Amino acid sequence: VRQAKRLVPNVLASLRGRKPKPYFHKYAGSVASLGLYKGVSDVLGFIRLKGFFAWLLHRGYHLSRMPTFNRKVRVMFDWLGAFVFRREVISMGQIQDPKTEFARAAKS
């Protein structure tokens, strides 16, 4: 998103025979998810978080970058549903032979 704001004027400048301007942005920090409800973050170089709050910050950052309000709401509700309900657990046998369950259901 940040790069696109510079890209469009640069493409137009190139098409019009002018020199494009270099892209630059101020470092705002880093966030990373490390799995289920765990994360690390470094905000502005001096606020460091880890664990659940860093994971939540990671999710919040990505939600803020979604392009439309409609998509933000849909993604947020999907994440809330995943937070409230547990993960689905399946037998590894189903992965090895996924058609077995369908064949058994078709016979009954």
Side-chain angles (χ1 to χ4, degrees), residues 36-37 59 77-87:
L36 200 57
Y37 315 125
R59 289 286 174 116
F77 276 110
D78 182 54
W79 287 348
L80 287 172
F83 184 73
V84 172
F85 300 107
R86 295 174 15 142
R87 289 182 169 189

Side-chain angles (χ1 to χ4, degrees), residues 10-67:
N10 278 346
V11 169
L12 288 174
S14 293
L15 291 173
R16 294 175 180 159
R18 288 186 240 144
K19 188 176 179 181
K21 295 179 182 176
Y23 169 75
F24 173 79
H25 75 271
K26 183 180 174 185
Y27 175 74
S30 301
V31 293
S33 175
L34 300 176
L36 200 57
Y37 315 125
K38 294 178 187 162
V40 292
S41 68
D42 178 15
V43 182
L44 301 173
F46 63 90
I47 300 173
R48 291 185 173 93
L49 298 171
K50 63 181 179 178
F52 179 76
F53 292 111
W55 174 83
L56 201 58
L57 184 65
H58 175 258
R59 289 286 174 116
Y61 171 77
H62 285 291
L63 193 64
S64 74
R65 299 291 119 200
M66 291 290 148

Side-chain angles (χ1 to χ4, degrees), residues 84-104:
V84 172
F85 300 107
R86 295 174 15 142
R87 289 182 169 189
E88 292 183 30
V89 179
I90 63 165
S91 160
M92 293 303 285
Q94 290 177 332
I95 292 174
Q96 299 300 323
D97 192 14
K99 294 182 182 179
T100 304
E101 294 298 318
F102 290 108
R104 191 175 71 183

